[in-house]
Amino acid sequence: VHPDHRREGHGRALLRAVVARRASGDRVTLTVAADNDPARSLYESVGFREVDRRPGFYESVPGVADDALVYAYGR
């Protein structure tokens, strides 16, 4: 969602549309930086749950790795 339109419910609506269109029993997964609290809060509010942690997945500053969290919706 474009920064000028964040906190207006667009991201939540998009996520809900994705999970509503999934086939019964299918799992939707996504990866997010462990320190991205706004995104994590959004995902959790839609029903995604943390299922894995990937140490050193992102490199935000050369030589400094950041962990990623894997979230899943469904099975």
Side-chain angles (χ1 to χ4, degrees):
V1 175
H2 189 278
D4 292 345
H5 298 284
R6 289 185 182 153
R7 312 240 1 117
E8 295 177 3
H10 302 297
R12 183 171 285 106
L14 289 167
L15 281 173
R16 285 184 175 154
V18 167
V19 298
R21 287 179 174 86
R22 70 186 173 90
S24 179
D26 280 357
R27 184 179 192 186
V28 178
T29 60
L30 56 85
T31 305
V32 62
D35 64 352
N36 189 341
D37 293 333
R40 293 177 58 204
S41 178
L42 169 63
Y43 303 145
E44 291 170 8
S45 76
V46 174
F48 282 81
R49 296 291 169 243
E50 182 182 335
V51 295
D52 195 17
R53 183 178 199 97
R54 297 189 179 159
F57 188 81
Y58 295 110
E59 187 177 315
S60 59
V61 177
V64 178
D66 290 321
D67 292 355
L69 301 177
V70 178
Y71 275 73
Y73 186 98
R75 295 177 149 230

